[in-house]
Amino acid sequence: EICACLVGSEMCIRDSYEEVGEAIKSCGFYNTKSKDLVECAKILLEKYGGRVPGTMEELTSLPGIGRKTANLILGDIYHQPAYVCDTHCIRICNLLGLASGKEPAKVEQQLRAILPPEESSDFCHRLVDHGRAVCTARTTPYCERCCLRDVCRYAHEEGKAD
């Protein structure tokens, strides 16, 4: 159901918020997200002819689209430089010493200063994978099996670097 909604914006706007909400019920905040999806689909059809826009300004003007989602779209769909600063990226960049702070826009700005634009999207995706598998948030990071421990500020401070 949700695939039809996302693939066919016209179908999504014909559905009620409740119908879309039912299709995405497994997501958190599905009531808000269903309204955003329907409203976003309307705007995409009316303003952009059914196409997803390709600028940060246009994307973040859409309901439910913030910088993180806009960066994902810009990097993955339009292959533009994109610094996706989610919870994993922020946490690991802080542990590595690449950034400081927890505010996504500030971490993004810090990463822009040190990462080549052409590497930005892949770098952020790799950090998410690394954060899920090795440098976990809910447990102590598995420094002993981390390929970054030699350059990691946290590993050095904790005496876990080689």
Side-chain angles (χ1 to χ4, degrees), residues 88-108:
H88 296 293
C89 177
I90 292 168
R91 182 173 46 76
I92 294 170
C93 283
N94 276 274
L95 290 172
L96 288 169
L98 299 175
S100 61
K102 296 187 180 204
E103 214 174 299
K106 288 184 180 179
V107 172
E108 179 183 333

Side-chain angles (χ1 to χ4, degrees), residues 16-36:
S16 68
Y17 298 144
E18 293 79 18
E19 289 171 308
V20 174
E22 197 57 40
I24 63 167
K25 203 167 192 165
S26 62
C27 299
F29 306 107
Y30 66 91
N31 284 323
T32 300
K33 290 178 182 177
S34 66
K35 290 175 185 167
D36 287 343

Side-chain angles (χ1 to χ4, degrees), residues 83-85 88-116 119-120 122-128 130 135 146-157:
Y83 300 79
V84 181
C85 292
H88 296 293
C89 177
I90 292 168
R91 182 173 46 76
I92 294 170
C93 283
N94 276 274
L95 290 172
L96 288 169
L98 299 175
S100 61
K102 296 187 180 204
E103 214 174 299
K106 288 184 180 179
V107 172
E108 179 183 333
Q109 188 176 28
Q110 293 169 41
L111 290 178
R112 285 182 183 279
I114 60 172
L115 282 177
E119 296 291 329
S120 59
D122 286 343
F123 176 82
C124 293
H125 284 305
R126 288 190 296 266
L127 281 186
V128 170
H130 188 70
C135 197
C146 179
C147 62
L148 299 172
R149 71 178 175 270
D150 293 343
V151 296
C152 178
R153 189 196 67 201
Y154 174 82
H156 282 276
E157 288 173 357

Side-chain angles (χ1 to χ4, degrees), residues 35-145:
K35 290 175 185 167
D36 287 343
L37 279 169
V38 172
E39 293 305 314
C40 187
K42 286 179 185 176
I43 293 168
L44 289 176
L45 281 172
E46 293 167 6
K47 188 173 180 181
Y48 298 102
R51 299 194 51 82
V52 176
T55 69
M56 179 64 74
E57 184 178 80
E58 291 171 313
L59 288 166
T60 55
S61 73
L62 296 169
I65 306 291
R67 287 193 70 81
K68 181 178 103 176
T69 302
N71 269 310
L72 278 167
I73 292 168
L74 293 173
D76 292 351
I77 295 173
Y78 290 105
H79 308 290
Q80 295 177 16
Y83 300 79
V84 181
C85 292
D86 73 345
T87 183
H88 296 293
C89 177
I90 292 168
R91 182 173 46 76
I92 294 170
C93 283
N94 276 274
L95 290 172
L96 288 169
L98 299 175
S100 61
K102 296 187 180 204
E103 214 174 299
K106 288 184 180 179
V107 172
E108 179 183 333
Q109 188 176 28
Q110 293 169 41
L111 290 178
R112 285 182 183 279
I114 60 172
L115 282 177
E118 66 276 6
E119 296 291 329
S120 59
S121 185
D122 286 343
F123 176 82
C124 293
H125 284 305
R126 288 190 296 266
L127 281 186
V128 170
D129 291 342
H130 188 70
R132 289 178 180 159
V134 179
C135 197
T136 58
R138 298 194 195 279
T139 64
T140 303
Y142 299 107
C143 297
E144 66 282 354
R145 52 183 223 225

